[in-house]
């Protein structure tokens, strides 16, 4: 069964075609890679899938529901798009607690476990404004997984991570796959995608081609 189905999706801004008649299925329980350089359209595709950017031509289904028709934003997914925005004068835990309070699905224990799982200390009082980029990236992943979503959509999750961070992130994503999670990763790094992903697609000038 497919977690995401994209059919004949086209997205234009004035005269520019950013997504050009894209059709692709992303099967449940697998790690899917989306490679492409900056400006290739991969981030725009992710934003459409997540309901952040509306579309008029084509169709996107997430878990069987049509985005923009059945639902505006897909449920039960964790998302990282670009650099996560956190309040710089709050600790990592307090940032995630504020975000968790919006849906009120989880408590302190789940938040702390998510922070621990990405290699950070949930009791660290240091403000996020003083975090390294590696630490911010890890906290972003903790935010994405803290409510135990069925699916993760991650845009450039390895950006800003040091060598150990890349290794840790890769292993953690494989662990999530082993738990049955569906993961879609967009990256400009072919190496990251090759190691982690079951399927690989390439975006170039708004067109999508399946490589494997």
């Amino acid at each position: 069964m497919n977690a995401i189905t994209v059919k004949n999706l086209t997205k234009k801004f004035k005269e520019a075609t950013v997504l050009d008649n894209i059709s692709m299925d992303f099967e449940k329980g697998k790690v899917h890679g989306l490679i492409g350089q900056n400006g290739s359209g991969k981030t725009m595709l992710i934003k459409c899938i997540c309901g952040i950017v509306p579309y008029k031509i084509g169709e996107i289904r997430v878990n069987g529901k049509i985005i923009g028709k059945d639902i505006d934003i897909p449920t039960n997914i964790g998302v990282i798009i670009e650099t996560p925005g956190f309040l710089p004068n709050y600790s990592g835990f307090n940032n995630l607690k504020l975000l968790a309070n919006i849906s009120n699905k989880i408590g302190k224990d789940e938040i702390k476990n998510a922070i621990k799982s990405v290699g950070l200390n949930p009791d660290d009082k240091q403000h996020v404004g003083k975090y390294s980029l590696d630490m911010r990236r890890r906290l972003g992943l903790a935010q994405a997984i803290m409510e135990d979503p069925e699916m993760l959509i991650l845009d450039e999750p390895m950006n800003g991570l040091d060598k150990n961070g890349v290794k840790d992130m890769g292993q953690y994503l494989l662990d999530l796959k082993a738990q049955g999670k569906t993961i879609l990763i967009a990256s400009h790094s072919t190496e990251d995608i090759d190691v982690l992903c079951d399927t690989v697609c390439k975006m170039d000038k708004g067109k999508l081609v399946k490589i494997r």
Side-chain angles (χ1 to χ4, degrees):
M1 185 175 178
N2 295 323
I4 303 169
T5 297
V6 182
K7 185 177 180 181
N8 303 128
L9 177 66
T10 296
K11 180 66 183 178
K12 296 184 178 182
F13 288 98
K14 295 183 179 180
E15 300 303 316
T17 300
V18 183
L19 300 175
D20 189 358
N21 194 33
I22 290 173
S23 295
M24 189 62 62
D25 294 325
F26 299 96
E27 190 177 340
K28 284 189 175 182
K30 292 187 176 181
V31 182
H32 304 280
L34 187 62
I35 59 172
Q37 298 303 311
N38 292 339
S40 63
K42 64 184 189 300
T43 297
M44 183 56 62
L45 175 58
I46 282 179
K47 287 181 176 179
C48 288
I49 291 171
C50 293
I52 297 170
V53 174
Y55 62 93
K56 293 182 180 179
I57 302 171
E59 181 181 278
I60 300 171
R61 289 179 180 265
V62 178
N63 290 326
K65 296 186 181 297
I66 301 173
I67 303 302
K69 184 177 179 181
D70 298 330
I71 52 174
D72 292 326
I73 296 174
T75 57
N76 208 9
I77 67 170
V79 179
I80 298 177
I81 297 180
E82 299 165 342
T83 302
F86 294 113
L87 297 174
N89 295 323
Y90 285 73
S91 68
F93 173 80
N94 284 335
N95 264 279
L96 297 199
K97 187 172 185 296
L98 287 170
L99 292 168
N101 286 344
I102 296 172
S103 59
N104 203 31
K105 292 180 180 177
I106 59 172
K108 292 181 180 180
D109 289 344
E110 290 87 352
I111 297 169
K112 287 188 174 185
N113 287 338
I115 294 173
K116 285 179 185 177
S117 69
V118 299
L120 296 177
N121 179 5
D123 297 317
D124 185 359
K125 304 301 182 185
Q126 180 180 197
H127 290 172
V128 169
K130 295 183 179 179
Y131 275 21
S132 66
L133 186 52
D134 178 272
M135 294 172 71
R136 289 176 66 88
R137 276 288 171 185
R138 289 171 184 260
L139 188 64
L141 181 60
Q143 175 192 334
I145 57 99
M146 66 182 179
E147 293 183 352
D148 192 27
E150 293 179 2
M151 187 187 314
L152 287 173
I153 298 179
L154 310 175
D155 187 14
E156 301 286 1
M158 306 299 190
N159 265 11
L161 296 179
D162 58 25
K163 188 175 181 179
N164 288 333
V166 169
K167 182 179 178 181
D168 291 346
M169 177 76 78
Q171 185 57 57
Y172 188 63
L173 293 177
L174 291 175
D175 290 344
L176 290 172
K177 176 193 169 184
Q179 296 172 26
K181 308 291 186 186
T182 304
I183 305 172
L184 175 59
I185 303 172
S187 177
H188 65 271
S189 171
T190 305
E191 183 179 354
D192 293 342
I193 294 296
D194 284 344
V195 171
L196 294 171
C197 298
D198 300 298
T199 72
V200 180
C201 298
K202 182 178 181 180
M203 289 287 302
D204 184 30
K205 297 179 181 178
K207 292 184 179 293
L208 184 67
V209 179
K210 188 168 184 178
I211 297 174
R212 74 162 196 262

